[in-house]
Every structure is written in structure tokens, then in C-alpha cells.
Amino acid sequence: GAADPNAADQNTLPAMDKLDAWDASKADDPQFMMNMAKKYVIMDTLQQHGGECKFGVLFQRADELHCDVLTAALNSLKRKKAVGYEKEMPLLSPVDNEVMVKLLKPDFDCFA
């Protein structure tokens, strides 16, 4: 069995400022940072995991991308019914790492 070609990249994932969609002129724009978090930390990760994953997985991804607005981005997506999870309060690591987050609107436009 060949090794997973993606395995070696797990620890070297780029920070958000390395993503193609990064716009350095908006680095100080909290809304842009929030939208980047929604798309690249939350939506993409959920889709990679078949539409749902534990909060801990999202938290790890946010950490890799040096994203500190995960909780706020999740709250916003939940309000817009783009994602769902079984908790009223904001999700926090590590206490909520086992909470499942579900993707409800795969086509949701985080930059609209």
C-alpha cells in the first residue's frame, strides 16, 4: 500500500495568507478575515469530511491557518443556517471538541 500522498502535507498547510484567495490589502479587514475563516476553515473542511466533522477538527484547521475567529465565524454561519450543531452556546476548544458540526448549505457564498 502506497502512503497517503496527502499525509506529508498535514503539518505544512499554509496559513491563510498563503491561500490563493488571500488579499493582503484586506488583512486588517475583520469582515474579510471572517469570510476567509468561513470558507477555508469551516466550509472546505466540512466538505472534505463529507459534510460533517467534529468541532475539534475545525479547531485544528483554524489553528493551522492561524485563524482566531473560528467561533465567531461558526456563530455567523449557524445564524444563516449554513451549518448546524447541537449547542446554543458558542463552541470552544477543548470542551466542545466532540460536538458534531454539520454542513447544511454546501453552496453558501461566504463572500456574498
Side-chain angles (χ1 to χ4, degrees):
D4 177 2
N6 297 322
D9 298 330
Q10 288 305 312
N11 298 322
T12 55
L13 283 165
M16 284 207 285
D17 59 6
K18 305 286 191 298
L19 294 167
D20 289 341
W22 180 255
D23 182 343
S25 70
K26 296 181 180 170
D28 295 326
D29 177 355
Q31 188 60 55
F32 177 72
M33 298 299 289
M34 184 73 74
N35 293 345
M36 289 289 288
K38 289 177 191 173
K39 171 77 175 96
Y40 294 101
V41 176
I42 301 171
M43 302 290 282
D44 281 6
T45 302
L46 285 169
Q47 283 172 338
Q48 284 160 10
H49 287 81
E52 64 178 1
C53 68
K54 292 177 177 174
F55 173 68
V57 173
L58 294 175
F59 187 84
Q60 185 180 358
R61 180 69 175 135
D63 195 50
E64 287 165 356
L65 291 176
H66 308 296
C67 163
D68 54 9
V69 293
L70 173 62
T71 295
L74 269 174
N75 286 349
S76 173
L77 286 173
K78 189 181 184 193
R79 275 199 309 273
K80 293 181 168 137
K81 308 275 193 287
V83 304
Y85 44 88
E86 296 286 316
K87 201 170 177 226
E88 289 305 310
M89 300 297 289
L91 299 181
L92 299 169
S93 183
V95 287
D96 295 317
N97 278 359
E98 298 301 307
V99 173
M100 290 302 291
V101 179
K102 288 190 170 80
L103 180 59
L104 304 177
K105 288 186 191 166
D107 303 330
F108 182 79
D109 183 353
C110 300
F111 293 93

